[in-house]
Amino acid sequence: MASTPVTLCFLLRETGSRTEVLLGLKRTGFGTGKIVGIGGHVEAGESDAEAVVREVWEEAGVVVRQEDLAEAGVIEFLFPTRPEWNMYCRLFTTRRWEGEPAESPEITPEWFDVGALPLHLMWQDAGHWLPPALAGEVHDVVVVLNEDNESVASVERLTGER
């Protein structure tokens, strides 16, 4: 079964001596109640960059331009007991956008210090790939989930920095 193509975009800003990232409390659908990145499914005919621009607008009310996106890696999520949940996720970061993040029916956005990510409120795999991605390391990673579809069975880094 093919993995569903999805995207995530992490908006980064400097506040004093700190760097913050925009994440959001998922209000509906897959991952409800977790803190997640902003993004979603790639629709037919869309590139990953087009999809993430659309998703950031739909979920957080912020305009991001494709030319301002930086690649931050690829994560393949494998759910052996629920293969229909498998996802191929392209990660992006950006430091440029227009507008202020606003709540949508799907996401309640919130800024977090990248040095104090709310990993205990996120999917358990996030601690394996999110800090390096936010630090500018670009990797391809495969995350295999356990039978509970929550905890991590394995994480394999397929490539070093690109």
Side-chain angles (χ1 to χ4, degrees), residues 11-135:
L11 282 65
L12 297 166
R13 70 178 184 185
E14 303 302 320
T15 55
S17 62
R18 302 181 325 157
T19 301
E20 293 182 329
V21 61
L22 186 69
L23 302 172
L25 175 65
K26 186 82 161 97
R27 300 178 66 199
T28 63
F30 191 75
T32 297
K34 294 186 184 305
I35 300 292
V36 298
I38 309 298
H41 290 85
V42 178
E43 294 181 357
E46 279 185 320
S47 69
D48 292 340
E50 289 168 335
V52 85
V53 165
R54 176 185 50 76
E55 287 285 349
V56 169
W57 169 248
E58 290 174 0
E59 292 187 357
V62 174
V63 176
V64 173
R65 291 187 185 91
Q66 289 182 52
E67 59 267 23
D68 294 327
L69 296 172
E71 282 201 42
V74 172
I75 312 292
E76 184 150 19
F77 298 99
L78 301 177
F79 294 83
T81 62
R82 298 292 300 264
E84 67 273 18
W85 289 3
N86 291 353
M87 291 176 275
Y88 179 87
C89 181
R90 183 159 316 271
L91 308 176
F92 296 95
T93 62
T94 188
R95 292 180 179 272
R96 295 186 61 181
W97 62 87
E98 294 176 16
E100 287 298 317
E103 186 171 357
S104 70
E106 193 166 347
I107 292 284
T108 301
E110 186 176 344
W111 292 100
F112 293 92
D113 186 321
V114 297
L117 295 170
L119 296 173
H120 63 289
L121 300 174
M122 301 179 79
W123 286 95
Q124 290 183 17
D125 57 81
H128 296 278
W129 57 266
L130 184 56
L134 297 180

Side-chain angles (χ1 to χ4, degrees), residues 123-147:
W123 286 95
Q124 290 183 17
D125 57 81
H128 296 278
W129 57 266
L130 184 56
L134 297 180
E137 298 175 26
V138 180
H139 296 282
D140 293 340
V141 176
V142 176
V143 174
V144 179
L145 286 296
N146 282 312
E147 289 183 12

